[in-house]
Amino acid sequence: MIIFYDASCLEYSAPGHPERPARIARSGPLLKERHPDWEWRTPEPASEAALLRAHSRDHLERIGNTTRDFDADTPFYPKIYEHALRSAGAAIEAGRAALNGERAFSLMRPPGHHATRDRAMGFCYFNNIAIAALDALENSAKRVAIWDFDAHHGNGTEAIVAHNPRIAFASIHQFPGYPGTGTKSFANVMDYPLGPGTPRNHHVEVAKRALDRLIAFKPDLLLVSAGFDAYAGDPLVQMTLEPEDFSTFGEWLRQLDIPVATILEGGYSDDLPELIDAFLTGWASK
């Protein structure tokens, strides 16, 4: 397992904001202690060319130049452009590592799947996974699938990749819930809205159905928006998954015979390090 990580992603925060440095600061040491054989790499920042495949130039300029909050959930931070560049770069490198036959996970912040072509929202500034998918298509992949099991709909990813015949996208998420989208499938988009409190076994069955449909697309690369906020103890949503369910998700990935890279999205419980470890251990176990 390769973990893409840069400690500088811990350098920004806002009082009381759920997307806080501790999410990563507590996860890294736990993974290093339990998996001393895993390789840790520092990612390079994403290039402007890579960003412009997913975002407009105006969007890049706003992220780089504004000094005001983007919305109530998405604050301005000093150097947020640089932080978001590194997070996007880690996603790109995870995808490239997967195409080279390695298992790779991006343990970075900020997350990305709510960022649209022209808007930062939902704690997200650049859409890391869409940027990684488009980078893969620019290089060796002919088709890419994106499996988003974050508890919130990956609206930004959907908006960026919709109607791209070389990408298949599936999102399993709570509805009603932020951002209020993701109720209908169309074209290359498969949305699986689940009501608050959906029983675990049904949630897991739907996640498997979504993954199976993506695999039927015969992608050269599977990218995973790995959000852990569908956990029963998460403070932001009302879902019911337990650590062993995330372990099951990882086991599914282990059984695939295609390249896979996973990218951290949400997950705001104090148990996040354990959830990440359950998922990655399920994926990495022989």
Side-chain angles (χ1 to χ4, degrees):
M1 180 72 66
I2 298 168
I3 310 293
F4 287 96
Y5 168 75
D6 186 332
S8 64
C9 78
L10 309 178
E11 294 174 356
Y12 69 94
S13 63
H17 199 288
E19 205 293 283
R20 59 196 190 278
R23 301 176 64 237
I24 311 296
R26 294 175 59 245
S27 298
L30 181 142
L31 295 175
K32 287 181 177 179
E33 178 184 349
R34 294 186 182 175
H35 309 281
D37 56 328
W38 288 1
E39 180 183 349
W40 291 69
R41 295 183 189 170
T42 302
E44 292 294 321
S47 68
E48 183 178 271
L51 297 179
L52 287 171
R53 295 188 191 113
H55 297 288
S56 67
R57 187 169 294 279
D58 285 348
H59 179 71
L60 271 60
E61 291 176 357
R62 275 193 297 275
I63 302 298
N65 297 323
T66 192
T67 56
R68 298 188 299 174
D69 291 349
F70 297 93
D71 61 27
D73 297 314
T74 315
F76 161 77
Y77 299 103
K79 299 185 178 179
I80 191 57
Y81 184 89
E82 288 78 8
H83 292 303
L85 274 186
R86 285 188 285 267
S87 195
I92 289 172
E93 292 193 36
R96 291 177 178 178
L99 288 168
N100 285 331
E102 300 167 312
R103 291 188 181 99
F105 177 65
S106 172
L107 181 67
M108 292 286 287
R109 58 191 288 267
H113 75 151
H114 293 308
T116 69
R117 177 173 171 78
D118 292 299
R119 182 182 174 193
M121 60 182 290
F123 317 160
C124 303
Y125 301 85
F126 296 140
N127 195 303
N128 305 321
I129 203 155
I131 291 166
L134 295 169
D135 176 81
L137 292 178
E138 190 71 15
N139 292 289
S140 61
K142 292 183 172 59
R143 289 184 300 277
V144 175
I146 301 172
W147 186 45
D148 187 335
F149 63 73
D150 188 280
H152 300 92
H153 179 232
N155 64 298
T157 310
E158 177 174 300
I160 292 168
V161 309
H163 303 290
N164 186 327
R166 299 173 67 193
I167 298 177
F169 172 74
S171 175
I172 308 96
H173 50 271
Q174 179 175 301
F175 184 87
Y178 183 88
T181 52
T183 60
K184 293 182 180 179
S185 299
F186 61 94
N188 61 326
V189 168
M190 294 166 275
D191 281 327
Y192 297 87
L194 299 173
T198 293
R200 283 174 63 196
N201 60 345
H202 179 63
H203 189 145
V204 171
E205 288 169 5
V206 170
K208 184 62 161 66
R209 190 187 318 150
L211 180 60
D212 287 345
R213 288 187 66 187
L214 291 175
I215 299 310
F217 180 64
K218 298 184 178 179
D220 302 300
L221 173 67
L222 174 67
L223 295 174
V224 181
S225 273
F228 296 89
D229 37 10
Y231 172 54
D234 196 274
L236 299 192
V237 291
Q238 299 79 43
M239 303 197 91
T240 59
L241 297 188
E242 295 293 344
E244 52 266 38
D245 299 316
F246 294 109
S247 178
T248 296
F249 291 175
E251 290 167 7
W252 294 342
L253 299 183
R254 188 180 75 239
Q255 295 163 7
L256 300 177
D257 59 357
I258 60 172
V260 179
T262 64
I263 294 157
L264 180 64
E265 297 283 3
Y268 307 99
S269 157
D270 290 341
D271 294 328
L272 179 62
E274 294 288 349
L275 304 177
I276 293 174
D277 182 53
F279 171 66
L280 293 180
T281 300
W283 183 21
S285 296
K286 295 288 191 279

